[in-house]
Amino acid sequence: MTDTPTVPHLVLGLETSCDETAAAVVRLAAGQVEVLSSVVGSQIAEHAPYGGVVPEIAARAHVESIEAIAGRALRDAGVGYDELTGVAATAGPGLVGGVMVGLSFGKAVALARGLPLVAVNHLEGHAVSARLGAELPYPFLLLLVSGGHCQLLAVDGVGACRRLGSTIDDAAGEAFDKIAKSLGLPYPGGPALEALAEGRDPDRFPLPRMLLGRKDCDFSFSGLKTAAARLAEGLSDEADRRDLAAAVQTAIARQLAEKSDRAMHAYAIEHHGRGLRFVVAGGVAANRTVRKKLEETASARGFSFAAPPLAYCTDNAAMIALAGAERLALGLTDPLDAAARPRWPLDAAAAAASPTHVAGRKGAKA
Ligand code: KG4
Ligand code: ZN
């Protein structure tokens, strides 16, 4: 990891891009990462009646809780504002009303305390999240799977990502959420569907395999979603619903593994078979069937496998603080007029050449 041994960074991270208000304090010293605190205030109860995240409700809830949650993160860490060396806030992509809340709060802290500000790309946060649990040097191949994103990226270093593949319709987490809804499960659907599928037969319901003939690393979940919703309509028996949940989970895991396998093959050639590391991050990385299938795929291709600790798979501020600290270590900071960005692809060049994003729960994907 790139860091100056003598300069420890103590960073307050803020995350408000979707339905979690989160703050954390992370220390980065001599390449060692220490999470001193991580507080996540979930808004699930506020959005549950609507079956998904309502942007206006999210933004208002962030305003109401950001100060208290940041205060708690500092208290839990035993750190005062005056001991911080920087503030890192998510500046996009995400629901822009919410992003503005955390970013503005971060700017206020930076201004009041004379601290450097880092405007962090939420996806860069997910990209470094596995480094919160274990030492993981750059470069690595990353599968980023969450409710808003589904991409394969070659991560060469801090902020240096190349996109190898992306979804052409829904993100994997979005597919979990929507299919869960058609099975009558509450939001967020992914964890609920995993619980329903526990110990069931994944082979009873045949589901379509998407984009099998294509040679690229792109994903598609819309056909699976439609087929599963149609099957779910006719089911009243609990055992049937549970088997369908297992079939869906396995189908999603299989597609993630197939496309990751393709990307690993290309990545291994590019890297001459050396230093092969595969990382999965994002909310869907919390799914045990997905993790297991990806771990097997990585092992078969000669890649090491890493995934964040479960608490850092879904949205959190520790990953934002770490992404900020890594940038601070390189002297990369942002001005106080840094903009909140609803869209912000990690690999701007690939996104411009092939804009695979579509409208969805969080609007356009990066
Ligand atoms: O990373 P995240 O918290 O937010 C985004 O940046 O999108 O990911 C949330 C997504 C949701 O779609 C949720 O259903 C999914 O991750 N998820 C899961 C599991 N835990 C969270 N999907 C499948 N299995 C899980 N255990
Ligand atoms: Zn996320």
Side-chain angles (χ1 to χ4, degrees), residues 15 17-18 20 122-123 126 144 146-149 282-283 313-316 319 362:
E15 160 58 38
S17 69
C18 193
E20 265 102 19
H122 178 82
L123 304 178
H126 279 300
L144 174 43
S146 67
H149 306 277
C313 287
T314 45
D315 288 348
N316 65 88
M319 66 184 193
K362 287 188 187 171

Side-chain angles (χ1 to χ4, degrees), residues 76-159:
D76 286 359
V79 165
Y81 277 110
D82 51 349
E83 291 167 75
L84 295 171
T85 62
V87 185
T90 297
L95 299 171
V96 78
V99 172
M100 283 168 69
V101 174
L103 184 57
S104 304
F105 187 84
K107 287 174 179 176
V109 172
L111 187 64
R113 301 285 167 166
L115 293 168
L117 172 78
V118 186
V120 174
N121 184 315
H122 178 82
L123 304 178
E124 194 171 311
H126 279 300
V128 302
S129 60
R131 294 155 78 79
L132 291 165
E135 251 181 61
L136 173 69
Y138 291 114
F140 53 84
L141 176 61
L142 172 72
L143 172 65
L144 174 43
V145 263
S146 67
H149 306 277
C150 187
Q151 317 181 4
L152 278 156
L153 296 152
V155 183
D156 296 328
V158 177

Side-chain angles (χ1 to χ4, degrees), residues 1 32 43 52 77 93 107 118 153 163 166 203 214-215 238 248 273 283 305 308 321 333 361-362:
M1 185 180 289
Q32 296 299 310
Q43 306 172 359
K107 287 174 179 176
V118 186
L153 296 152
R163 198 176 73 190
S166 180
D203 298 320
R214 279 175 54 160
K215 295 262 176 285
E238 180 66 6
V248 165
F305 175 84
T333 62
R361 168 163 82 82
K362 287 188 187 171

